[in-house]
Amino acid sequence: MATSFKSYSKPSIGVTPVTLLTATQKTIIIGLTVSNIYGSVMPVTIKLNKPGGISTHIAKAKRVESGTYLDLMLGNKLVVEVGDTLTAFAGDTAAFDITISTLEGVS
């Protein structure tokens, strides 16, 4: 299976949890950037969800200043397997834009 770099973006993340990524093959997350587009400091939560109901926090209520961004994968990588999902939500409506960079099809 060939590997490929991909990018996924979700604009205007708010209080309702949104699926950022559903892994259909083994994938390495190499970038995860959250940008605060809201008018004040705002918390963002990002979770890795495994099949069977197991969830772990990548960021829990991480406060990000207005007009700034946070690179959650700076210097790190995260392996996700088939069926894993990443979800995110914020402290208010339309508060964050989120971009994920991946390498898919790894073995």
Side-chain angles (χ1 to χ4, degrees):
M1 177 181 290
T3 58
S4 61
F5 288 100
K6 299 223 174 149
S7 176
Y8 300 92
S9 295
K10 293 284 184 174
S12 302
I13 303 293
V15 295
T16 303
V18 172
T19 299
L20 304 171
L21 174 73
T22 300
T24 57
Q25 55 190 322
K26 195 175 206 179
T27 300
I28 299 174
I29 297 174
I30 56 176
L32 178 52
T33 304
V34 296
S35 298
N36 184 342
I37 58 172
Y38 198 71
S40 61
V41 175
M42 186 63 51
V44 63
T45 296
I46 300 176
K47 288 184 176 183
L48 172 62
N49 309 292
K50 297 281 202 180
I54 299 169
S55 294
T56 57
H57 287 91
I58 294 172
K60 183 176 180 180
K62 180 68 176 168
R63 296 171 62 79
V64 182
E65 294 288 329
S66 176
T68 66
Y69 71 93
L70 179 64
D71 184 352
L72 291 170
M73 296 307 298
L74 188 61
N76 297 303
K77 294 165 190 65
L78 178 67
V79 175
V80 292
E81 299 173 313
V82 175
D84 292 353
T85 62
L86 261 93
T87 55
F89 63 92
D92 208 338
T93 305
F96 288 94
D97 289 344
I98 299 179
T99 301
I100 301 173
S101 297
T102 65
L103 178 61
E104 296 183 352
V106 297
S107 56

